Amino acid sequence: MNLQRMTGILKKIFMLPPIPTILISIPSFALVIYVLANDMDNTAISYAAYILSAYALIITITGMAGIVRLIRQGIDKQPLVKKALDNPLVGRYLREDMFRAEAALYQGFFINLLYAGIKMFSGIFYRSVWFATLAVYYILLAAMRASLLHYVRKDGKNKVSEWSRYRLCGISLLFMNIALSGIIVLVIQQNSGFVYPGVLIYVMAMYAFYATITAVWNVVKFRRYGSPVMSAAKVISLTAALVSMLSLEIAMLTRFGSDNDRMFRLIMTASTGAGISIIVLGMAVFMIWRSTKQLKQSKQEKEI
């Protein structure tokens, strides 16, 4: 079997059209939630659910763009949506990527503050250093978003200021990444963790995967617009999403692991934490390098 034929078979299996992707993914994820909620581990149905959910996650990621296109095309034809599109603000939000990104920056600022408040309350209520530290981390992310709000409607009129703010965000991420690495080391040394109560862990899991996939997509998508402020905002969103994934992993290992899995928990937490730290470090260094290069170029052009 040649490589081209093998690639075609893999695409047919793992890159489905939008409708089959939705019909497979939703029941698969629902089945996993049912299995976990009813403590049905080590049963035939649990193994089937885990395999189906892994497959569903893959086809959801590969088919996300097609699903989004299907939703947009279908929504435009609905009567209520047609009326909503007549509203200037709603129409701009649904049709213009940049306007939607600007709105997302304000939305992300308030969500970060809300998330920080929830984490701080959880840290006090459960006496968890991890929750309290995450609250501070999200407050700093909110502060970085706030520093970009002043430039969001400048329409690129002052690129020097935007690149300066972009570099400041990179430097902030660099120092915050050092703090995050220290937190991860502390969690590993103390072998500590936390648990989301009830079914909240499944809600957080769906949010973490959605936020991560969306953030990666937006980081790539908004590079072509040439807006340093929007690019910085998307990097901040990706950083927050990656930290959410780390929190989810620690919570799931704490809830579903056992005392005999201590070494496995340490290895998984250390590996994921190191991977996230390296990704954030890479983004921070790239932001500093790129903005410094652009600022030097602007200075040279001004002198000429």
Side-chain angles (χ1 to χ4, degrees):
M1 184 180 294
N2 58 36
L3 180 60
Q4 186 175 1
R5 186 176 179 185
M6 177 64 73
T7 303
I9 293 174
L10 290 176
K11 285 184 177 180
K12 289 181 180 179
I13 296 174
F14 296 108
M15 299 182 70
L16 304 181
I19 297 299
T21 299
I22 294 171
L23 293 178
I24 293 174
S25 299
I26 293 178
S28 298
F29 294 139
L31 181 60
V32 170
I33 293 175
Y34 175 79
V35 168
L36 295 175
N38 290 277
D39 296 325
M40 298 174 65
D41 292 336
N42 300 320
T43 61
I45 190 172
S46 69
Y47 296 132
Y50 296 148
I51 293 172
L52 281 173
S53 64
Y55 177 65
L57 178 61
I58 294 172
I59 63 174
T60 299
I61 294 174
T62 58
M64 183 61 69
I67 293 173
V68 171
R69 282 196 299 269
L70 176 67
I71 293 173
R72 286 181 175 177
Q73 292 171 0
I75 285 177
D76 289 343
K77 298 177 182 178
Q78 300 299 319
L80 291 177
V81 176
K82 287 182 178 179
K83 292 182 179 180
L85 289 174
D86 291 336
N87 183 289
L89 289 178
V90 176
R92 287 191 66 191
Y93 184 83
L94 293 176
R95 293 191 180 104
E96 298 180 18
D97 289 336
M98 288 300 294
F99 183 78
R100 190 161 55 249
E102 292 173 7
L105 185 57
Y106 285 93
Q107 174 186 330
F109 169 72
F110 290 108
I111 288 178
N112 273 164
L113 288 181
L114 176 62
Y115 211 61
I118 294 173
K119 293 293 184 183
M120 184 61 72
F121 173 79
S122 300
I124 296 172
F125 186 79
Y126 294 106
R127 297 180 181 178
S128 170
V129 177
W130 173 253
F131 275 134
T133 309
L134 279 183
V136 176
Y137 196 85
Y138 280 106
I139 289 173
L140 293 176
L141 288 177
M144 290 174 64
R145 290 182 189 273
S147 71
L148 299 175
L149 293 176
H150 174 71
Y151 298 92
V152 73
R153 291 191 175 277
K154 297 296 183 181
D155 298 325
K157 294 178 180 178
N158 193 341
K159 283 291 185 181
V160 173
S161 297
E162 288 196 28
W163 282 117
S164 298
R165 192 63 55 172
Y166 183 87
R167 182 168 61 179
L168 179 61
C169 286
I171 295 172
S172 300
L173 276 181
L174 191 62
F175 284 101
M176 288 172 63
N177 191 54
I178 296 173
L180 180 62
S181 300
I183 296 168
I184 294 169
V185 171
L186 181 64
V187 170
I188 294 171
Q189 287 181 342
Q190 296 183 352
N191 192 30
S192 59
F194 57 90
V195 177
Y196 289 111
V199 298
L200 181 60
I201 191 170
Y202 309 121
V203 177
M204 296 306 297
M206 289 187 287
Y207 166 76
F209 279 107
Y210 167 78
T212 303
I213 294 170
T214 304
V216 172
W217 174 266
N218 284 331
V219 166
V220 176
K221 178 180 179 180
F222 278 87
R223 284 192 63 185
R224 69 174 183 262
Y225 289 102
S227 172
V229 168
M230 288 295 105
S231 294
K234 298 310 173 184
V235 169
I236 295 171
S237 296
L238 179 56
T239 303
L242 291 175
V243 174
S244 296
M245 290 294 291
L246 177 61
S247 301
L248 174 65
E249 179 184 283
I250 294 174
M252 294 192 75
L253 289 173
T254 303
R255 178 164 179 174
F256 301 112
S258 62
D259 294 336
N260 297 328
D261 297 333
R262 183 176 183 275
M263 184 55 64
F264 176 74
R265 288 172 56 187
L266 291 176
I267 293 173
M268 288 299 296
T269 303
S271 300
T272 305
I276 290 174
S277 294
I278 291 171
I279 292 172
V280 176
L281 175 63
M283 291 191 300
V285 171
F286 175 78
M287 291 174 72
I288 295 170
W289 169 80
R290 187 184 180 196
S291 57
T292 301
K293 181 180 178 181
Q294 293 292 334
L295 288 171
K296 285 183 178 179
Q297 183 178 343
S298 297
K299 184 179 180 180
Q300 291 174 353
E301 291 176 354
K302 187 177 180 180
E303 289 177 351
I304 293 174

